[in-house]
Amino acid sequence: MINTIIEMLQYEFIQRAILVGTLVSLCAALLGVSLVLKRYAMIGDGLSHVGFGILAVALAIGWSPLFISIPVVIIAAILLLKIGNNSKIQSDSAIGIIASSSLAIGVAITSATTGINTDVWNYMFGSILAMGESDVILSVIVSIIVGILFLIYYRKLFAVTFDENFAKASGLNVKWYTNIIAILTAVIIVVGMRMMGTMLISSIIIFPALTSMRLFKTFKKVVISSGVISIFSFFIGIYFSYIYNISTGAMIVIVNLVLFIVFILLDQIIYK
Amino acid sequence: MNLISIKNLTFRYESRDDEDTLKNVSLSVNEGDFLCIVGENGSGKSTLIKCIVGLNKVPEGKITLKEKLGYLPQKTEIQANFPASIEEVVLSGTISNNIKNIWYTKQDKEKAKEIMKELDIYTIRKKCFRDLSGGQQQRVLIARAMCATNNLIVLDEPTNGLDPSIARKIYSTLKTLNKKRNLTIVMVSHDVERAVKYATRVIEIERGKVTFDGLPERYKIV
């Protein structure tokens, strides 16, 4: 196993993938805690589908997919949050139609132009080969921003997540903090899309938080555990992905699923 | 001293354009009051509380606060499944004291500790909020509200959904805090019987108007 790891680390694309993957996994998990607790988890899923639609358009026109996706997905994130706060439209239905429409547009454009080739397949289900120089730079910058904001706003995020009304009455600008979470989530989704695939990226936002909540009973422990679980799943996932030549995104999701089941069982054993 | 004074407050929800929810309400809350606001569902009592704590913008009329208040909102669904220790929840009440800080100050932590001791939750402070009984959860949220203020808390139906015996305990805890600390309490309740028994003053709101304001003994007669 150690020999395999040493062999893996000699490839430049694996080095890139590990750097980007570790950072993205950590950030997605941190944001995920708030999103899952606030019941916004499906927004992540909706946004990744929007991301795919934009990617398809960008590929067809020949523009750089990353830099077009980011602003569009951010706008979609803010819109989805707005819809969520508007009681006239059911937010789960709204996410459903936005997600499937984006996917439909993406698939239609792809089939009319390039067809579902390896590039498109990789965008949908992730690939460690796909990470380029610009992905590395972007993910490092974004991760540093997410990390710093999370630390600076930690206790405010707790207050806003636990009880919006109390936070508002305490003078916190709740809308601003929710928008920050939405924007950061949008950016992380776009950055992580190459590795995880647009169809699978939302799972690294949702799984770590959900898994941690099974066993841990304080906010702080859930946050730390989510980060650890997410990075751990990434490493195990990328290892098996390399050895058995399985799609990276799919492998990482499967590791997350296994951990989730293990934590449910542990919860049953410890607390019952 | 008047801690809260409300003058000619009229409020209307945008979605309900037929009638004002609150019509020309004027009242003041004095230091040391244990004030219960009673009234039927939809009378406007929760709306009034939301105006006081700043969740509703006040279009007409004026609300003056002499003191920073601590608020206990109605329970939300999110909290039922939330992984947070008692300590984390109570400490988050101090946020309004120094909103710009990144982390809690020593004074914040001392204040939270003292209040948790007073409410008998200090020894269980590491416990998870979602594992507590309904009554204990409310004690934690009262402690959080007290962390945000020096002597004025505003509660929106804190005994909603609790067993009568536990509701009684909450009322008597509030009564003790009111007497011992001279804590001013404003609370909405639809439990008239207990409100009259424990409060030092009762306000009744019907269809957005104050229809009674006085001593609880008198409210019984009316």
Side-chain angles (χ1 to χ4, degrees):
Chain A
M1 185 181 161
I2 290 172
N3 286 338
T4 322
I5 294 174
I6 291 168
E7 180 198 314
M8 276 172 77
L9 286 174
Q10 276 161 0
Y11 294 104
E12 206 184 321
F13 72 90
I14 299 261
Q15 292 168 3
R16 276 203 296 262
I18 286 178
L19 180 60
V20 175
T22 311
L23 293 172
V24 168
S25 301
L26 177 65
C27 293
L30 293 182
L31 293 168
V33 174
S34 246
L35 289 170
V36 166
L37 288 170
K38 281 190 85 60
R39 318 259 160 107
Y40 286 155
M42 283 311 290
I43 287 181
D45 201 43
L47 290 181
S48 57
H49 287 70
V50 173
F52 176 73
I54 302 303
L55 275 176
V57 174
L59 283 178
I61 307 174
W63 286 345
S64 155
L66 212 53
F67 293 98
I68 299 167
S69 309
I70 288 179
V72 178
V73 178
I74 285 176
I75 292 166
I78 293 171
L79 258 171
L80 281 176
L81 268 187
K82 267 229 163 94
I83 294 169
N85 297 331
N86 180 347
S87 50
K88 276 181 195 157
I89 313 169
Q90 295 272 306
S91 66
D92 53 346
S93 323
I95 292 170
I97 54 167
I98 290 173
S100 51
S101 306
S102 306
L103 190 56
I105 292 168
V107 170
I109 290 175
T110 322
S111 42
T113 52
T114 56
I116 308 271
N117 56 20
T118 331
D119 263 358
V120 179
W121 172 267
N122 284 344
Y123 273 128
M124 291 182 92
F125 301 109
S127 162
I128 41 171
L129 296 164
M131 243 90 55
E133 191 95 11
S134 56
D135 295 274
V136 176
I137 295 167
L138 192 67
S139 66
V140 170
I141 294 171
V142 167
S143 305
I144 290 171
I145 293 173
V146 171
I148 289 174
L149 286 181
F150 200 85
L151 283 179
I152 291 179
Y153 289 150
Y154 176 82
R155 63 178 198 143
K156 284 153 197 164
L157 284 181
F158 172 79
V160 170
T161 311
F162 183 72
D163 192 338
E164 236 175 60
N165 283 329
F166 182 85
K168 257 187 226 166
S170 295
L172 292 182
N173 188 345
V174 172
K175 252 191 205 151
W176 201 70
Y177 291 104
T178 13
N179 278 338
I180 288 238
I181 293 178
I183 291 170
L184 294 178
T185 307
V187 179
I188 282 296
I189 282 176
V190 174
V191 176
M193 239 160 32
R194 314 290 292 268
M195 176 185 84
M196 291 298 298
T198 50
M199 300 296 111
L200 301 171
I201 176 85
S202 62
S203 67
I204 63 163
I205 292 173
I206 301 172
F207 261 127
L210 218 52
T211 305
S212 306
M213 278 167 63
R214 283 280 142 193
L215 276 197
F216 296 107
K217 300 188 169 243
T218 74
F219 189 70
K220 198 164 146 194
K221 282 181 188 161
V222 168
V223 166
I224 294 170
S225 148
S226 298
V228 172
I229 285 177
S230 190
I231 292 175
F232 177 77
S233 307
F234 165 74
F235 275 105
I236 304 292
I238 199 167
Y239 177 72
F240 282 115
S241 164
Y242 176 81
I243 295 183
Y244 299 112
N245 199 18
I246 300 171
S247 147
T248 319
M251 204 56 234
I252 292 170
V253 176
I254 290 170
V255 177
N256 266 300
L257 173 66
V258 171
L259 282 180
F260 180 62
I261 294 168
V262 168
F263 270 55
I264 289 179
L265 294 176
L266 283 176
D267 177 41
Q268 299 287 332
I269 295 165
I270 295 173
Y271 295 108
K272 267 162 207 154
Chain B
M1 191 172 75
N2 281 349
L3 291 187
I4 304 174
S5 59
I6 299 172
K7 285 208 178 84
N8 309 109
L9 171 66
T10 298
F11 184 86
R12 170 187 298 192
Y13 285 105
E14 275 170 33
S15 51
R16 277 179 255 161
D17 42 16
D18 47 340
E19 208 180 352
D20 291 337
T21 311
L22 292 172
K23 293 169 205 149
N24 207 16
V25 171
S26 293
L27 60 92
S28 57
V29 177
N30 306 311
E31 199 174 359
D33 272 357
F34 183 170
L35 167 64
C36 273
I37 302 173
V38 298
E40 280 170 23
N41 284 339
S43 58
K45 50 190 193 326
S46 278
T47 306
L48 176 62
I49 289 288
K50 284 190 181 127
C51 289
I52 293 174
V53 302
L55 292 181
N56 286 340
K57 275 189 191 139
V58 176
E60 259 178 76
K62 205 179 169 198
I63 298 179
T64 322
L65 295 177
K66 286 261 165 59
E67 185 76 56
K68 209 151 65 75
L69 57 81
Y71 176 44
L72 196 163
Q74 285 189 20
K75 261 191 202 160
T76 64
E77 220 183 300
I78 287 178
Q79 289 161 5
N81 231 329
F82 203 99
S85 66
I86 292 174
E87 200 174 23
E88 283 177 315
V89 174
V90 175
L91 206 49
S92 75
T94 61
I95 270 188
S96 59
N97 302 336
N98 43 48
I99 231 159
K100 291 220 167 75
N101 282 19
I102 290 176
W103 199 242
Y104 301 108
T105 63
K106 212 176 165 192
Q107 287 102 299
D108 291 338
K109 288 179 184 164
E110 279 299 314
K111 188 170 188 181
K113 184 177 167 186
E114 181 226 338
I115 289 169
M116 281 191 283
K117 278 186 175 163
E118 185 156 2
L119 283 166
D120 273 333
I121 48 175
Y122 185 69
T123 49
I124 53 166
R125 67 188 182 282
K126 302 282 181 205
K127 266 198 166 180
C128 183
F129 182 80
R130 67 178 172 207
D131 294 340
L132 302 176
S133 67
Q136 271 180 323
Q137 287 188 345
Q138 288 302 20
R139 290 176 88 82
V140 172
L141 296 182
I142 290 169
R144 181 184 63 169
M146 286 170 66
C147 280
T149 177
N150 289 324
N151 57 1
L152 171 63
I153 61 171
V154 176
L155 307 92
D156 199 349
E157 309 220 23
T159 58
N160 218 355
L162 295 180
D163 285 344
S165 64
I166 290 158
R168 199 180 329 125
K169 269 192 195 153
I170 297 285
Y171 271 95
S172 87
T173 303
L174 289 171
K175 184 81 187 172
T176 314
L177 291 170
N178 172 247
K179 272 190 185 158
K180 250 173 69 184
R181 280 180 160 248
N182 198 29
L183 182 73
T184 308
I185 300 169
V186 178
M187 73 181 266
V188 161
S189 170
H190 54 215
D191 182 356
V192 176
E193 201 184 314
R194 262 189 212 100
V196 166
K197 194 173 160 206
Y198 288 94
T200 61
R201 184 176 156 203
V202 171
I203 284 181
E204 183 195 63
I205 294 188
E206 285 306 330
R207 289 164 172 260
K209 282 183 180 158
V210 175
T211 46
F212 177 87
D213 183 353
L215 294 171
E217 302 88 271
R218 294 243 335 173
Y219 183 66
K220 253 192 274 181
I221 305 162
V222 178

